[in-house]
Amino acid sequence: MVRRLSGRGHGMTGAGWSILGTLSRLRGPWRGRQFGDPGRPRAISPRLTAAEAEALRVRLTPVLARLTAERAAIFRRAETELRLKTGVAALAGLGLGWTMGGLPGALGLAALAAVFAVLLLAGRVQEAPRDIAKHVILNKMGQMLHGLSSVAPGARAQALPLGRIDGWRLFGPVHTVTIDDRLEGLRDGQRVAVSRVGLQFGTAGNRSTENGAGLCFVVTEITAPEAPDDLSGALTVVVAEDAPAQARAAPGLTHGLSVSQTGDAAFDARYRVYGDAEVLGPAARAAFAGIEAMARADRTATREVAPGSGLRPWVVIRPGRLVVLTPLALFDGALEPPLLPQPLLAEALIPAFASDLASLNDHLTGALTLMKGLSR
């Protein structure tokens, strides 16, 4: 059943108890689980004026109405399918348990089978509506507030292919790339992009993923109009000294790059530079303060800390090109719509998404300042 909330958004509730509704409530606040400790969401920074908030509300109201109608239909289909498959799993468990240990074993195995089916299927049901809602809302708000467009989920792998990531010469074998958000646009005549990216590294021969070997970043890319297409020329790779030992050594051990010094003792104590260090003149080194200000991941990359006190960013520099990788604490995604069947309410979504978009824009601003400071 779809229930409309006049003028303020649209609600979606089931006619009674639902599996998806119960799970969405058990998962806690929809915004915040991706930030810091679960249950302790990052505070929303009030960066919108009243006029901006009203303009966004007017623009998003029909969009949220359409999304809510689509989500309501998805919810009804998914809830019916989930109940059917859960029932089938419970009956299978009941039958198997009866043959193994009588009624108590049958009931226990039926319950376990039902719970397993719910946990397996419910997450998959939420993925597509989440991705669609995120992309549509990001696209509308990103264009209005910052001139940035969201890349559709199906096009993100092409926008940031594995070959380009390998070309940064930062990592060992990368087996899997997950791009959770990607925004693109133009700033000062330069192409810019900011993404949330998860990298899963491979075993020997890169045949499978290595357990526990993964890193997540906010990746900011700046490309000047005169940037050459040939990427075989000069290269500078800067890895923070607080990075894991394997990451600090990978540009040299895996890619054969040589360590060089900038001559700035304080900078060289914080960063390990591979390749051409001459590009890092005084203005560029000073600009690192701007990108360091966005560092929020603790040393384990599992919790957020105060801005500027987290793991320092890594940088890749080529003629006309700059990539800044800032370690990300938790990767589920910072810009989150609520789970099915919770409603999409403009009052909640606009401040949260605006705050997170402003954070991504801060990453871009810091990277653009660094780009201006480069000697090359």
Side-chain angles (χ1 to χ4, degrees), residues 301-327:
T302 59
R303 296 183 304 142
E304 282 205 335
V305 292
S309 61
L311 292 170
R312 288 187 290 272
W314 309 356
V315 174
V316 179
I317 304 165
R318 291 186 184 275
R321 299 176 187 271
L322 172 69
V323 181
V324 178
L325 301 93
T326 305

Side-chain angles (χ1 to χ4, degrees), residues 13 37 120 163 201 228 249 275 297 316 327 339:
T13 61
D37 296 324
L120 180 66
F201 301 115
V316 179
L339 299 171

